[in-house]
Amino acid sequence: AFKREQEKSAHHAEEIKKIEHALTWLDVSVILPLFVNKELTGLIALGDKLTGTPYLNDDIEFLSALAPQAATALENARLYERSQELAVLEERNRLARELHDAMNQSLYSIVLFAGAAHKEAGKLGAASVQRHLARVEGTAQQALKEMRLMLYELRPYSLEEQGLVGSLKKRLDFVEGSAGIDVGLEVSGQIDLPERYEELLYRIAQEALNNTLKHASASAVRVAIRGRDSQVVITVDDNGQGFDLASRSSSGGMGLTSM
C-alpha cells in the first residue's frame, strides 16, 4: 500500500510538472493541486501579471486552505452531473422496456398474421388481395426493423467500454441480426485509435447501417474494418436495391452529405 501511494504521489508530481510547463506562457506563478480522496482532480493556477504584485507566503497559505473546499465543490458538481446522466439513462431504459413489451410484439404479430393471410389469398387465387397483404406484411416488417433500431438507440451507449469493433458488433447483432438480416463483421490489421476518432467512425458506420435498414430492403449486410499503416478504413456493403449515385448527387436526402 505504501508503494502504491508513493507511485501515485510521483505520478501526481509528474502531472503537475507537465501542467506547469504548459502554463508558462500564461505567466502563472502559483499552482495549487486539488485532491479528492487522494486523487488529483484539478488545479488552481494563479498569476500576478495584471497586478504586478507577487503572492506572499500568507496569500499562498490562505489559498491552500481554500483548495480542499474548491476540490469538494468541483467533485459535488461532477457527482450531480453524473446523477442527472443516470436519471436520463434510467428513463431511456424505461421507455425501451415499454416499447419492447408493447409495440415490438404487436408489430411482430402483424407480420405473422399478414404473412399467413397472404398465403391463404394465394391458395384462393385472390391476386389483388394477395398484393395488398404483401404490402401490409412488408410495411410491418420495415416498421419492426425501425422499432428495433429505436430500442437500440434508447439503450446506454457503450463505445467507451467496448470500443469501435465491440460496439459495431453489438449493433449488428441487436438491430440487423434481430431483424432477420444476415450480418457479418470483418476486422483486420491494427485498430488502435483515440476515442474521439472511434466516435466519428462509429457514427458514420451507424448512419450507413441506418440507411441500409430503412431504405435498402437488404437481406444481408457486411461491415469491414481494416487497419492500414496509419489509416483505418471502414466499408459497409449490403445486397439491397441500391440507388443511382449520379441522379442523387443534386437532390434527395442528406444522409450521404451528413456522413
Side-chain angles (χ1 to χ4, degrees), residues 35 56 65 91 101 116 133 143 165 168 214 220 234 238 241-242 249:
F35 292 98
L56 303 177
E91 178 64 12
D101 293 341
L133 287 171
V165 175
L168 284 175
K214 295 177 180 179
I234 292 185
D238 65 63
Q241 59 191 358
S249 60

Side-chain angles (χ1 to χ4, degrees), residues 27 29 47-55:
D27 194 23
S29 56
D48 50 26
K49 189 173 182 178
L50 294 178
T51 62
T53 304
Y55 288 99

Side-chain angles (χ1 to χ4, degrees), residues 4-5 12 14 20 28 39 77 79-80 86 99-100 108 123 165 224 232 238 257-258:
R4 285 197 300 270
E5 287 299 322
H12 289 162
E14 185 64 26
E20 283 178 336
V28 173
E39 290 290 335
L79 291 174
Y80 176 78
L86 290 175
L99 282 172
H100 183 274
Y108 186 64
K123 293 177 183 179
V165 175
V232 172
D238 65 63
T257 303
S258 63

Side-chain angles (χ1 to χ4, degrees), residues 171-222:
R171 155 65 195 251
L172 287 168
D173 290 342
F174 186 85
V175 180
E176 282 75 18
S178 297
I181 298 175
D182 183 28
V183 300
L185 177 62
E186 175 190 345
V187 182
S188 60
Q190 183 69 25
I191 313 297
D192 186 14
L193 295 169
E195 184 179 335
R196 63 192 183 99
Y197 291 129
E198 287 196 338
E199 170 84 17
L200 292 172
L201 289 175
Y202 177 81
R203 292 302 186 188
I204 293 171
Q206 176 183 255
E207 183 62 23
L209 290 171
N210 289 352
N211 288 341
T212 291
L213 189 72
K214 295 177 180 179
H215 309 301
S217 300
S219 62
V221 61
R222 298 284 183 273

Side-chain angles (χ1 to χ4, degrees), residues 43-213:
L43 296 167
I44 295 178
L46 302 169
D48 50 26
K49 189 173 182 178
L50 294 178
T51 62
T53 304
Y55 288 99
L56 303 177
N57 288 337
D58 290 344
D59 298 326
I60 297 175
E61 289 181 5
F62 174 73
L63 293 170
S64 298
L66 291 179
Q69 299 178 44
T72 301
L74 288 173
E75 180 66 6
N76 289 340
R78 187 190 68 80
L79 291 174
Y80 176 78
E81 183 178 356
R82 179 58 179 163
S83 69
Q84 295 294 99
E85 292 175 356
L86 290 175
V88 171
L89 289 178
E90 178 59 30
E91 178 64 12
R92 292 173 67 178
N93 283 334
R94 184 188 66 79
L95 288 173
R97 288 192 298 269
E98 291 185 0
L99 282 172
H100 183 274
D101 293 341
M103 297 300 298
N104 199 47
Q105 297 302 322
S106 298
L107 287 171
Y108 186 64
S109 298
I110 291 173
V111 171
L112 291 179
F113 288 130
H118 183 214
K119 292 179 182 178
E120 289 298 320
K123 293 177 183 179
L124 297 174
S128 61
V129 175
Q130 193 175 19
R131 285 195 302 272
H132 289 306
L133 287 171
R135 292 185 64 182
V136 171
E137 183 181 7
T139 302
Q141 286 178 338
Q142 184 63 26
L144 186 58
K145 291 177 184 178
E146 295 188 16
M147 178 59 65
R148 289 195 174 109
L149 174 59
M150 289 176 60
L151 289 171
Y152 177 78
E153 291 180 346
L154 279 171
R155 295 189 173 199
Y157 194 55
S158 60
L159 183 62
E160 184 177 352
E161 297 177 0
Q162 301 186 11
L164 176 63
V165 175
S167 296
L168 284 175
K169 184 179 186 307
K170 182 179 178 181
R171 155 65 195 251
L172 287 168
D173 290 342
F174 186 85
V175 180
E176 282 75 18
S178 297
I181 298 175
D182 183 28
V183 300
L185 177 62
E186 175 190 345
V187 182
S188 60
Q190 183 69 25
I191 313 297
D192 186 14
L193 295 169
E195 184 179 335
R196 63 192 183 99
Y197 291 129
E198 287 196 338
E199 170 84 17
L200 292 172
L201 289 175
Y202 177 81
R203 292 302 186 188
I204 293 171
Q206 176 183 255
E207 183 62 23
L209 290 171
N210 289 352
N211 288 341
T212 291
L213 189 72

Side-chain angles (χ1 to χ4, degrees), residues 26-47:
L26 288 176
D27 194 23
V28 173
S29 56
V30 177
I31 291 181
L32 300 172
L34 303 178
F35 292 98
V36 175
N37 296 327
K38 298 183 180 181
E39 290 290 335
L40 181 65
T41 60
L43 296 167
I44 295 178
L46 302 169

